[in-house]
Amino acid sequence: DKTRTDMADNLRKAVTSLTEVVFPASRSAREGQQHHALRAGTEYVTNLPLQMALYFNVFYFPLWLISSIITLEAKYTALTTLYRIIIIAALVVMTMVELIRLYLGYLGNLTEKVPELAGFWLLTLLLQLPLVLFLLFNEATIILPLERAMNIVMSLFVLFEVIIGYFAIQIMVNHQVAKFHLQQFHNLENIGAHEGHEFEDNTNHTA
């Protein structure tokens, strides 16, 4: 359990560091979250288009996986040994990545956590997008009509999530930075008001 916790912490730190490189403002937002609790009643920045895409993606993925397995079985004997291994490996990797990235996408978008949402975006851009495009455009894999149709829809999901996810992260980072600065402003106001009351009390006691 301790090893798993350490691995999860290290992975989170790595994603956070990479997020700070891609989205520099996220460092200020993260520091603000560490030092100040967010004020209640503030504006939510959960991205609705991204959430809708994730919602439909969750239901579409099992259909895509089943159709991919069926088409692989149908053309298995016609494939070379190399492409049999490649396609099976691609499907296994895509399945694992899809489960992880959809979870991170839901968690990051609904709870407004930048590292989780950035992890979702990076997995989508660096792993899922290249793999689905490989299955869609590599004619050496003997693409069947059903397979092509399912991969086109899957690629549209992934492309949309890459594009809208980038803007969702930017908006979320900027919003959290703004809330951090607003919290600092309110803290300064509270300090000023407290000092003013103390000054009045001291003046009254002196009088």
Side-chain angles (χ1 to χ4, degrees), residues 111-147:
T111 61
E112 300 182 13
K113 293 182 178 179
V114 175
E116 282 77 1
L117 192 58
F120 153 80
W121 184 77
L122 290 171
L123 287 175
T124 305
L125 177 66
L126 300 179
L127 290 178
Q128 208 70 340
L129 181 60
L131 287 173
V132 73
L133 292 180
F134 169 79
L135 295 178
L136 179 60
F137 292 114
N138 193 336
E139 297 294 339
T141 59
I142 312 176
I143 303 173
L144 300 179
L146 174 62
E147 184 180 12

PDB file of all heavy atoms in Angstrom, residues 111-147:
ATOM      1  N   THR A 111     -14.186  18.456 -10.547  1.00  0.00           N
ATOM      2  CA  THR A 111     -13.670  18.986  -9.280  1.00  0.00           C
ATOM      3  C   THR A 111     -12.708  20.153  -9.485  1.00  0.00           C
ATOM      4  O   THR A 111     -12.148  20.666  -8.519  1.00  0.00           O
ATOM      5  CB  THR A 111     -12.952  17.878  -8.484  1.00  0.00           C
ATOM      6  OG1 THR A 111     -11.842  17.382  -9.249  1.00  0.00           O
ATOM      7  CG2 THR A 111     -13.906  16.732  -8.185  1.00  0.00           C
ATOM      8  N   GLU A 112     -12.505  20.547 -10.749  1.00  0.00           N
ATOM      9  CA  GLU A 112     -11.641  21.685 -11.095  1.00  0.00           C
ATOM     10  C   GLU A 112     -10.216  21.494 -10.573  1.00  0.00           C
ATOM     11  O   GLU A 112      -9.619  22.392  -9.989  1.00  0.00           O
ATOM     12  CB  GLU A 112     -12.241  22.993 -10.565  1.00  0.00           C
ATOM     13  CG  GLU A 112     -13.617  23.293 -11.127  1.00  0.00           C
ATOM     14  CD  GLU A 112     -14.188  24.610 -10.628  1.00  0.00           C
ATOM     15  OE1 GLU A 112     -13.422  25.404 -10.051  1.00  0.00           O
ATOM     16  OE2 GLU A 112     -15.394  24.836 -10.815  1.00  0.00           O
ATOM     17  N   LYS A 113      -9.676  20.298 -10.801  1.00  0.00           N
ATOM     18  CA  LYS A 113      -8.296  19.996 -10.418  1.00  0.00           C
ATOM     19  C   LYS A 113      -7.427  20.008 -11.670  1.00  0.00           C
ATOM     20  O   LYS A 113      -7.580  19.162 -12.548  1.00  0.00           O
ATOM     21  CB  LYS A 113      -8.221  18.637  -9.720  1.00  0.00           C
ATOM     22  CG  LYS A 113      -8.924  18.609  -8.368  1.00  0.00           C
ATOM     23  CD  LYS A 113      -8.771  17.262  -7.699  1.00  0.00           C
ATOM     24  CE  LYS A 113      -9.427  17.257  -6.324  1.00  0.00           C
ATOM     25  NZ  LYS A 113      -9.308  15.931  -5.661  1.00  0.00           N
ATOM     26  N   VAL A 114      -6.516  20.954 -11.717  1.00  0.00           N
ATOM     27  CA  VAL A 114      -5.696  21.143 -12.915  1.00  0.00           C
ATOM     28  C   VAL A 114      -4.771  19.954 -13.192  1.00  0.00           C
ATOM     29  O   VAL A 114      -4.678  19.507 -14.338  1.00  0.00           O
ATOM     30  CB  VAL A 114      -4.889  22.452 -12.816  1.00  0.00           C
ATOM     31  CG1 VAL A 114      -3.934  22.592 -13.998  1.00  0.00           C
ATOM     32  CG2 VAL A 114      -5.829  23.652 -12.762  1.00  0.00           C
ATOM     33  N   PRO A 115      -4.053  19.401 -12.203  1.00  0.00           N
ATOM     34  CA  PRO A 115      -3.155  18.276 -12.516  1.00  0.00           C
ATOM     35  C   PRO A 115      -3.873  17.081 -13.130  1.00  0.00           C
ATOM     36  O   PRO A 115      -3.374  16.469 -14.078  1.00  0.00           O
ATOM     37  CB  PRO A 115      -2.548  17.919 -11.151  1.00  0.00           C
ATOM     38  CG  PRO A 115      -2.636  19.174 -10.362  1.00  0.00           C
ATOM     39  CD  PRO A 115      -3.912  19.828 -10.792  1.00  0.00           C
ATOM     40  N   GLU A 116      -5.054  16.741 -12.595  1.00  0.00           N
ATOM     41  CA  GLU A 116      -5.801  15.608 -13.138  1.00  0.00           C
ATOM     42  C   GLU A 116      -6.274  15.892 -14.563  1.00  0.00           C
ATOM     43  O   GLU A 116      -6.183  15.032 -15.446  1.00  0.00           O
ATOM     44  CB  GLU A 116      -7.005  15.283 -12.243  1.00  0.00           C
ATOM     45  CG  GLU A 116      -6.665  14.530 -10.980  1.00  0.00           C
ATOM     46  CD  GLU A 116      -6.054  15.410  -9.907  1.00  0.00           C
ATOM     47  OE1 GLU A 116      -5.912  16.633 -10.143  1.00  0.00           O
ATOM     48  OE2 GLU A 116      -5.706  14.878  -8.825  1.00  0.00           O
ATOM     49  N   LEU A 117      -6.769  17.102 -14.784  1.00  0.00           N
ATOM     50  CA  LEU A 117      -7.234  17.454 -16.121  1.00  0.00           C
ATOM     51  C   LEU A 117      -6.068  17.515 -17.106  1.00  0.00           C
ATOM     52  O   LEU A 117      -6.201  17.118 -18.270  1.00  0.00           O
ATOM     53  CB  LEU A 117      -7.968  18.797 -16.083  1.00  0.00           C
ATOM     54  CG  LEU A 117      -8.759  19.176 -17.345  1.00  0.00           C
ATOM     55  CD1 LEU A 117      -9.800  18.112 -17.663  1.00  0.00           C
ATOM     56  CD2 LEU A 117      -9.427  20.531 -17.175  1.00  0.00           C
ATOM     57  N   ALA A 118      -4.928  17.992 -16.635  1.00  0.00           N
ATOM     58  CA  ALA A 118      -3.740  18.020 -17.490  1.00  0.00           C
ATOM     59  C   ALA A 118      -3.263  16.604 -17.805  1.00  0.00           C
ATOM     60  O   ALA A 118      -2.814  16.324 -18.925  1.00  0.00           O
ATOM     61  CB  ALA A 118      -2.626  18.812 -16.814  1.00  0.00           C
ATOM     62  N   GLY A 119      -3.356  15.704 -16.828  1.00  0.00           N
ATOM     63  CA  GLY A 119      -3.004  14.312 -17.075  1.00  0.00           C
ATOM     64  C   GLY A 119      -3.900  13.689 -18.134  1.00  0.00           C
ATOM     65  O   GLY A 119      -3.431  12.958 -19.018  1.00  0.00           O
ATOM     66  N   PHE A 120      -5.193  13.982 -18.046  1.00  0.00           N
ATOM     67  CA  PHE A 120      -6.136  13.517 -19.070  1.00  0.00           C
ATOM     68  C   PHE A 120      -5.748  14.047 -20.443  1.00  0.00           C
ATOM     69  O   PHE A 120      -5.728  13.305 -21.437  1.00  0.00           O
ATOM     70  CB  PHE A 120      -7.549  13.983 -18.698  1.00  0.00           C
ATOM     71  CG  PHE A 120      -8.469  14.158 -19.869  1.00  0.00           C
ATOM     72  CD1 PHE A 120      -9.088  13.070 -20.455  1.00  0.00           C
ATOM     73  CD2 PHE A 120      -8.708  15.427 -20.394  1.00  0.00           C
ATOM     74  CE1 PHE A 120      -9.930  13.235 -21.550  1.00  0.00           C
ATOM     75  CE2 PHE A 120      -9.545  15.601 -21.479  1.00  0.00           C
ATOM     76  CZ  PHE A 120     -10.158  14.500 -22.060  1.00  0.00           C
ATOM     77  N   TRP A 121      -5.423  15.335 -20.509  1.00  0.00           N
ATOM     78  CA  TRP A 121      -5.097  15.966 -21.791  1.00  0.00           C
ATOM     79  C   TRP A 121      -3.813  15.388 -22.382  1.00  0.00           C
ATOM     80  O   TRP A 121      -3.734  15.125 -23.588  1.00  0.00           O
ATOM     81  CB  TRP A 121      -4.963  17.478 -21.590  1.00  0.00           C
ATOM     82  CG  TRP A 121      -4.734  18.236 -22.856  1.00  0.00           C
ATOM     83  CD1 TRP A 121      -5.667  18.547 -23.806  1.00  0.00           C
ATOM     84  CD2 TRP A 121      -3.494  18.778 -23.319  1.00  0.00           C
ATOM     85  NE1 TRP A 121      -5.081  19.253 -24.826  1.00  0.00           N
ATOM     86  CE2 TRP A 121      -3.753  19.410 -24.554  1.00  0.00           C
ATOM     87  CE3 TRP A 121      -2.205  18.800 -22.803  1.00  0.00           C
ATOM     88  CZ2 TRP A 121      -2.752  20.048 -25.280  1.00  0.00           C
ATOM     89  CZ3 TRP A 121      -1.205  19.432 -23.523  1.00  0.00           C
ATOM     90  CH2 TRP A 121      -1.489  20.050 -24.748  1.00  0.00           C
ATOM     91  N   LEU A 122      -2.818  15.158 -21.540  1.00  0.00           N
ATOM     92  CA  LEU A 122      -1.545  14.616 -22.022  1.00  0.00           C
ATOM     93  C   LEU A 122      -1.703  13.180 -22.516  1.00  0.00           C
ATOM     94  O   LEU A 122      -1.135  12.806 -23.547  1.00  0.00           O
ATOM     95  CB  LEU A 122      -0.498  14.685 -20.909  1.00  0.00           C
ATOM     96  CG  LEU A 122      -0.020  16.091 -20.534  1.00  0.00           C
ATOM     97  CD1 LEU A 122       0.840  16.047 -19.278  1.00  0.00           C
ATOM     98  CD2 LEU A 122       0.755  16.719 -21.685  1.00  0.00           C
ATOM     99  N   LEU A 123      -2.460  12.373 -21.785  1.00  0.00           N
ATOM    100  CA  LEU A 123      -2.707  11.000 -22.237  1.00  0.00           C
ATOM    101  C   LEU A 123      -3.459  10.983 -23.564  1.00  0.00           C
ATOM    102  O   LEU A 123      -3.188  10.158 -24.443  1.00  0.00           O
ATOM    103  CB  LEU A 123      -3.503  10.233 -21.177  1.00  0.00           C
ATOM    104  CG  LEU A 123      -2.756   9.820 -19.912  1.00  0.00           C
ATOM    105  CD1 LEU A 123      -3.711   9.177 -18.919  1.00  0.00           C
ATOM    106  CD2 LEU A 123      -1.617   8.863 -20.242  1.00  0.00           C
ATOM    107  N   THR A 124      -4.399  11.903 -23.698  1.00  0.00           N
ATOM    108  CA  THR A 124      -5.177  11.979 -24.933  1.00  0.00           C
ATOM    109  C   THR A 124      -4.302  12.393 -26.110  1.00  0.00           C
ATOM    110  O   THR A 124      -4.376  11.807 -27.195  1.00  0.00           O
ATOM    111  CB  THR A 124      -6.335  12.983 -24.774  1.00  0.00           C
ATOM    112  OG1 THR A 124      -7.118  12.614 -23.637  1.00  0.00           O
ATOM    113  CG2 THR A 124      -7.230  12.990 -26.006  1.00  0.00           C
ATOM    114  N   LEU A 125      -3.460  13.395 -25.887  1.00  0.00           N
ATOM    115  CA  LEU A 125      -2.630  13.931 -26.968  1.00  0.00           C
ATOM    116  C   LEU A 125      -1.473  13.009 -27.333  1.00  0.00           C
ATOM    117  O   LEU A 125      -1.207  12.774 -28.519  1.00  0.00           O
ATOM    118  CB  LEU A 125      -2.092  15.304 -26.563  1.00  0.00           C
ATOM    119  CG  LEU A 125      -1.145  15.993 -27.562  1.00  0.00           C
ATOM    120  CD1 LEU A 125      -1.893  16.340 -28.842  1.00  0.00           C
ATOM    121  CD2 LEU A 125      -0.525  17.235 -26.942  1.00  0.00           C
ATOM    122  N   LEU A 126      -0.790  12.482 -26.331  1.00  0.00           N
ATOM    123  CA  LEU A 126       0.460  11.755 -26.574  1.00  0.00           C
ATOM    124  C   LEU A 126       0.266  10.268 -26.852  1.00  0.00           C
ATOM    125  O   LEU A 126       1.118   9.648 -27.501  1.00  0.00           O
ATOM    126  CB  LEU A 126       1.405  11.930 -25.380  1.00  0.00           C
ATOM    127  CG  LEU A 126       1.801  13.374 -25.050  1.00  0.00           C
ATOM    128  CD1 LEU A 126       2.719  13.408 -23.842  1.00  0.00           C
ATOM    129  CD2 LEU A 126       2.467  14.042 -26.250  1.00  0.00           C
ATOM    130  N   LEU A 127      -0.813   9.684 -26.363  1.00  0.00           N
ATOM    131  CA  LEU A 127      -1.003   8.247 -26.539  1.00  0.00           C
ATOM    132  C   LEU A 127      -2.245   7.907 -27.370  1.00  0.00           C
ATOM    133  O   LEU A 127      -2.160   7.227 -28.392  1.00  0.00           O
ATOM    134  CB  LEU A 127      -1.086   7.557 -25.173  1.00  0.00           C
ATOM    135  CG  LEU A 127       0.214   7.510 -24.363  1.00  0.00           C
ATOM    136  CD1 LEU A 127      -0.024   6.847 -23.013  1.00  0.00           C
ATOM    137  CD2 LEU A 127       1.296   6.761 -25.129  1.00  0.00           C
ATOM    138  N   GLN A 128      -3.397   8.391 -26.921  1.00  0.00           N
ATOM    139  CA  GLN A 128      -4.639   7.950 -27.556  1.00  0.00           C
ATOM    140  C   GLN A 128      -4.780   8.468 -28.985  1.00  0.00           C
ATOM    141  O   GLN A 128      -5.210   7.731 -29.875  1.00  0.00           O
ATOM    142  CB  GLN A 128      -5.832   8.396 -26.703  1.00  0.00           C
ATOM    143  CG  GLN A 128      -7.046   7.497 -26.822  1.00  0.00           C
ATOM    144  CD  GLN A 128      -6.830   6.143 -26.164  1.00  0.00           C
ATOM    145  OE1 GLN A 128      -5.719   5.711 -25.929  1.00  0.00           O
ATOM    146  NE2 GLN A 128      -7.917   5.452 -25.880  1.00  0.00           N
ATOM    147  N   LEU A 129      -4.428   9.721 -29.202  1.00  0.00           N
ATOM    148  CA  LEU A 129      -4.559  10.291 -30.543  1.00  0.00           C
ATOM    149  C   LEU A 129      -3.658   9.592 -31.564  1.00  0.00           C
ATOM    150  O   LEU A 129      -4.142   9.194 -32.637  1.00  0.00           O
ATOM    151  CB  LEU A 129      -4.276  11.795 -30.502  1.00  0.00           C
ATOM    152  CG  LEU A 129      -4.409  12.539 -31.839  1.00  0.00           C
ATOM    153  CD1 LEU A 129      -5.819  12.403 -32.393  1.00  0.00           C
ATOM    154  CD2 LEU A 129      -4.040  14.012 -31.666  1.00  0.00           C
ATOM    155  N   PRO A 130      -2.365   9.406 -31.293  1.00  0.00           N
ATOM    156  CA  PRO A 130      -1.528   8.692 -32.274  1.00  0.00           C
ATOM    157  C   PRO A 130      -1.998   7.262 -32.537  1.00  0.00           C
ATOM    158  O   PRO A 130      -1.960   6.791 -33.682  1.00  0.00           O
ATOM    159  CB  PRO A 130      -0.136   8.703 -31.627  1.00  0.00           C
ATOM    160  CG  PRO A 130      -0.159   9.851 -30.683  1.00  0.00           C
ATOM    161  CD  PRO A 130      -1.561   9.921 -30.174  1.00  0.00           C
ATOM    162  N   LEU A 131      -2.457   6.573 -31.493  1.00  0.00           N
ATOM    163  CA  LEU A 131      -2.882   5.184 -31.667  1.00  0.00           C
ATOM    164  C   LEU A 131      -4.146   5.080 -32.520  1.00  0.00           C
ATOM    165  O   LEU A 131      -4.239   4.224 -33.407  1.00  0.00           O
ATOM    166  CB  LEU A 131      -3.111   4.536 -30.298  1.00  0.00           C
ATOM    167  CG  LEU A 131      -1.845   4.210 -29.498  1.00  0.00           C
ATOM    168  CD1 LEU A 131      -2.203   3.744 -28.091  1.00  0.00           C
ATOM    169  CD2 LEU A 131      -1.012   3.152 -30.210  1.00  0.00           C
ATOM    170  N   VAL A 132      -5.117   5.948 -32.251  1.00  0.00           N
ATOM    171  CA  VAL A 132      -6.358   5.868 -33.021  1.00  0.00           C
ATOM    172  C   VAL A 132      -6.130   6.300 -34.471  1.00  0.00           C
ATOM    173  O   VAL A 132      -6.743   5.751 -35.402  1.00  0.00           O
ATOM    174  CB  VAL A 132      -7.476   6.700 -32.350  1.00  0.00           C
ATOM    175  CG1 VAL A 132      -7.246   8.188 -32.513  1.00  0.00           C
ATOM    176  CG2 VAL A 132      -8.841   6.319 -32.924  1.00  0.00           C
ATOM    177  N   LEU A 133      -5.227   7.247 -34.688  1.00  0.00           N
ATOM    178  CA  LEU A 133      -4.904   7.649 -36.060  1.00  0.00           C
ATOM    179  C   LEU A 133      -4.144   6.543 -36.790  1.00  0.00           C
ATOM    180  O   LEU A 133      -4.318   6.350 -38.000  1.00  0.00           O
ATOM    181  CB  LEU A 133      -4.083   8.939 -36.048  1.00  0.00           C
ATOM    182  CG  LEU A 133      -4.824  10.202 -35.582  1.00  0.00           C
ATOM    183  CD1 LEU A 133      -3.900  11.408 -35.606  1.00  0.00           C
ATOM    184  CD2 LEU A 133      -6.062  10.460 -36.442  1.00  0.00           C
ATOM    185  N   PHE A 134      -3.319   5.820 -36.057  1.00  0.00           N
ATOM    186  CA  PHE A 134      -2.616   4.676 -36.653  1.00  0.00           C
ATOM    187  C   PHE A 134      -3.612   3.622 -37.128  1.00  0.00           C
ATOM    188  O   PHE A 134      -3.504   3.099 -38.251  1.00  0.00           O
ATOM    189  CB  PHE A 134      -1.654   4.075 -35.629  1.00  0.00           C
ATOM    190  CG  PHE A 134      -1.085   2.746 -36.046  1.00  0.00           C
ATOM    191  CD1 PHE A 134      -0.038   2.672 -36.948  1.00  0.00           C
ATOM    192  CD2 PHE A 134      -1.607   1.564 -35.529  1.00  0.00           C
ATOM    193  CE1 PHE A 134       0.475   1.442 -37.339  1.00  0.00           C
ATOM    194  CE2 PHE A 134      -1.098   0.332 -35.911  1.00  0.00           C
ATOM    195  CZ  PHE A 134      -0.052   0.270 -36.819  1.00  0.00           C
ATOM    196  N   LEU A 135      -4.580   3.301 -36.287  1.00  0.00           N
ATOM    197  CA  LEU A 135      -5.583   2.306 -36.664  1.00  0.00           C
ATOM    198  C   LEU A 135      -6.486   2.805 -37.785  1.00  0.00           C
ATOM    199  O   LEU A 135      -7.013   2.008 -38.565  1.00  0.00           O
ATOM    200  CB  LEU A 135      -6.436   1.941 -35.438  1.00  0.00           C
ATOM    201  CG  LEU A 135      -5.712   1.231 -34.294  1.00  0.00           C
ATOM    202  CD1 LEU A 135      -6.670   0.988 -33.136  1.00  0.00           C
ATOM    203  CD2 LEU A 135      -5.094  -0.084 -34.759  1.00  0.00           C
ATOM    204  N   LEU A 136      -6.644   4.115 -37.875  1.00  0.00           N
ATOM    205  CA  LEU A 136      -7.544   4.680 -38.875  1.00  0.00           C
ATOM    206  C   LEU A 136      -6.903   4.781 -40.254  1.00  0.00           C
ATOM    207  O   LEU A 136      -7.566   4.542 -41.274  1.00  0.00           O
ATOM    208  CB  LEU A 136      -8.012   6.067 -38.419  1.00  0.00           C
ATOM    209  CG  LEU A 136      -8.943   6.828 -39.370  1.00  0.00           C
ATOM    210  CD1 LEU A 136     -10.235   6.051 -39.612  1.00  0.00           C
ATOM    211  CD2 LEU A 136      -9.254   8.211 -38.811  1.00  0.00           C
ATOM    212  N   PHE A 137      -5.613   5.104 -40.314  1.00  0.00           N
ATOM    213  CA  PHE A 137      -4.986   5.424 -41.601  1.00  0.00           C
ATOM    214  C   PHE A 137      -3.988   4.385 -42.108  1.00  0.00           C
ATOM    215  O   PHE A 137      -3.572   4.459 -43.261  1.00  0.00           O
ATOM    216  CB  PHE A 137      -4.282   6.786 -41.511  1.00  0.00           C
ATOM    217  CG  PHE A 137      -5.227   7.934 -41.354  1.00  0.00           C
ATOM    218  CD1 PHE A 137      -5.245   8.687 -40.188  1.00  0.00           C
ATOM    219  CD2 PHE A 137      -6.117   8.268 -42.363  1.00  0.00           C
ATOM    220  CE1 PHE A 137      -6.119   9.746 -40.039  1.00  0.00           C
ATOM    221  CE2 PHE A 137      -6.999   9.328 -42.225  1.00  0.00           C
ATOM    222  CZ  PHE A 137      -6.998  10.069 -41.062  1.00  0.00           C
ATOM    223  N   ASN A 138      -3.584   3.450 -41.282  1.00  0.00           N
ATOM    224  CA  ASN A 138      -2.600   2.458 -41.727  1.00  0.00           C
ATOM    225  C   ASN A 138      -3.305   1.342 -42.500  1.00  0.00           C
ATOM    226  O   ASN A 138      -3.906   0.440 -41.912  1.00  0.00           O
ATOM    227  CB  ASN A 138      -1.849   1.887 -40.525  1.00  0.00           C
ATOM    228  CG  ASN A 138      -0.620   1.099 -40.941  1.00  0.00           C
ATOM    229  OD1 ASN A 138      -0.538   0.601 -42.060  1.00  0.00           O
ATOM    230  ND2 ASN A 138       0.340   0.993 -40.044  1.00  0.00           N
ATOM    231  N   GLU A 139      -3.206   1.407 -43.821  1.00  0.00           N
ATOM    232  CA  GLU A 139      -3.899   0.437 -44.665  1.00  0.00           C
ATOM    233  C   GLU A 139      -3.317  -0.964 -44.546  1.00  0.00           C
ATOM    234  O   GLU A 139      -3.966  -1.946 -44.929  1.00  0.00           O
ATOM    235  CB  GLU A 139      -3.851   0.893 -46.126  1.00  0.00           C
ATOM    236  CG  GLU A 139      -4.567   2.212 -46.395  1.00  0.00           C
ATOM    237  CD  GLU A 139      -6.071   2.113 -46.173  1.00  0.00           C
ATOM    238  OE1 GLU A 139      -6.608   0.989 -46.210  1.00  0.00           O
ATOM    239  OE2 GLU A 139      -6.704   3.163 -45.962  1.00  0.00           O
ATOM    240  N   ALA A 140      -2.106  -1.070 -44.033  1.00  0.00           N
ATOM    241  CA  ALA A 140      -1.493  -2.389 -43.875  1.00  0.00           C
ATOM    242  C   ALA A 140      -2.213  -3.235 -42.832  1.00  0.00           C
ATOM    243  O   ALA A 140      -2.025  -4.455 -42.781  1.00  0.00           O
ATOM    244  CB  ALA A 140      -0.019  -2.241 -43.498  1.00  0.00           C
ATOM    245  N   THR A 141      -3.042  -2.597 -42.020  1.00  0.00           N
ATOM    246  CA  THR A 141      -3.811  -3.340 -41.016  1.00  0.00           C
ATOM    247  C   THR A 141      -5.101  -3.923 -41.599  1.00  0.00           C
ATOM    248  O   THR A 141      -5.902  -4.495 -40.857  1.00  0.00           O
ATOM    249  CB  THR A 141      -4.168  -2.423 -39.829  1.00  0.00           C
ATOM    250  OG1 THR A 141      -4.940  -1.307 -40.307  1.00  0.00           O
ATOM    251  CG2 THR A 141      -2.916  -1.909 -39.143  1.00  0.00           C
ATOM    252  N   ILE A 142      -5.286  -3.763 -42.907  1.00  0.00           N
ATOM    253  CA  ILE A 142      -6.479  -4.285 -43.610  1.00  0.00           C
ATOM    254  C   ILE A 142      -7.749  -3.752 -42.941  1.00  0.00           C
ATOM    255  O   ILE A 142      -8.493  -4.482 -42.274  1.00  0.00           O
ATOM    256  CB  ILE A 142      -6.491  -5.827 -43.650  1.00  0.00           C
ATOM    257  CG1 ILE A 142      -5.133  -6.363 -44.106  1.00  0.00           C
ATOM    258  CG2 ILE A 142      -7.589  -6.334 -44.572  1.00  0.00           C
ATOM    259  CD1 ILE A 142      -5.043  -7.879 -44.088  1.00  0.00           C
ATOM    260  N   ILE A 143      -7.985  -2.484 -43.112  1.00  0.00           N
ATOM    261  CA  ILE A 143      -9.094  -1.808 -42.435  1.00  0.00           C
ATOM    262  C   ILE A 143     -10.426  -2.237 -43.051  1.00  0.00           C
ATOM    263  O   ILE A 143     -10.653  -2.070 -44.254  1.00  0.00           O
ATOM    264  CB  ILE A 143      -8.934  -0.284 -42.533  1.00  0.00           C
ATOM    265  CG1 ILE A 143      -7.585   0.138 -41.948  1.00  0.00           C
ATOM    266  CG2 ILE A 143     -10.067   0.413 -41.799  1.00  0.00           C
ATOM    267  CD1 ILE A 143      -7.252   1.595 -42.155  1.00  0.00           C
ATOM    268  N   LEU A 144     -11.305  -2.758 -42.224  1.00  0.00           N
ATOM    269  CA  LEU A 144     -12.643  -3.147 -42.658  1.00  0.00           C
ATOM    270  C   LEU A 144     -13.594  -1.953 -42.535  1.00  0.00           C
ATOM    271  O   LEU A 144     -13.336  -1.026 -41.756  1.00  0.00           O
ATOM    272  CB  LEU A 144     -13.143  -4.319 -41.817  1.00  0.00           C
ATOM    273  CG  LEU A 144     -12.287  -5.598 -41.873  1.00  0.00           C
ATOM    274  CD1 LEU A 144     -12.883  -6.675 -40.977  1.00  0.00           C
ATOM    275  CD2 LEU A 144     -12.156  -6.105 -43.304  1.00  0.00           C
ATOM    276  N   PRO A 145     -14.699  -1.952 -43.295  1.00  0.00           N
ATOM    277  CA  PRO A 145     -15.626  -0.800 -43.258  1.00  0.00           C
ATOM    278  C   PRO A 145     -16.133  -0.466 -41.854  1.00  0.00           C
ATOM    279  O   PRO A 145     -16.176   0.704 -41.469  1.00  0.00           O
ATOM    280  CB  PRO A 145     -16.765  -1.253 -44.175  1.00  0.00           C
ATOM    281  CG  PRO A 145     -16.125  -2.213 -45.123  1.00  0.00           C
ATOM    282  CD  PRO A 145     -15.080  -2.931 -44.333  1.00  0.00           C
ATOM    283  N   LEU A 146     -16.534  -1.486 -41.094  1.00  0.00           N
ATOM    284  CA  LEU A 146     -17.010  -1.235 -39.729  1.00  0.00           C
ATOM    285  C   LEU A 146     -15.906  -0.633 -38.875  1.00  0.00           C
ATOM    286  O   LEU A 146     -16.135   0.321 -38.117  1.00  0.00           O
ATOM    287  CB  LEU A 146     -17.504  -2.540 -39.102  1.00  0.00           C
ATOM    288  CG  LEU A 146     -17.895  -2.465 -37.613  1.00  0.00           C
ATOM    289  CD1 LEU A 146     -19.050  -1.491 -37.405  1.00  0.00           C
ATOM    290  CD2 LEU A 146     -18.246  -3.852 -37.077  1.00  0.00           C
ATOM    291  N   GLU A 147     -14.722  -1.175 -39.020  1.00  0.00           N
ATOM    292  CA  GLU A 147     -13.577  -0.693 -38.249  1.00  0.00           C
ATOM    293  C   GLU A 147     -13.268   0.763 -38.585  1.00  0.00           C
ATOM    294  O   GLU A 147     -13.006   1.577 -37.697  1.00  0.00           O
ATOM    295  CB  GLU A 147     -12.369  -1.571 -38.554  1.00  0.00           C
ATOM    296  CG  GLU A 147     -11.132  -1.254 -37.744  1.00  0.00           C
ATOM    297  CD  GLU A 147      -9.981  -2.165 -38.107  1.00  0.00           C
ATOM    298  OE1 GLU A 147     -10.073  -2.874 -39.140  1.00  0.00           O
ATOM    299  OE2 GLU A 147      -8.981  -2.162 -37.366  1.00  0.00           O
TER     300      GLU A 147
END
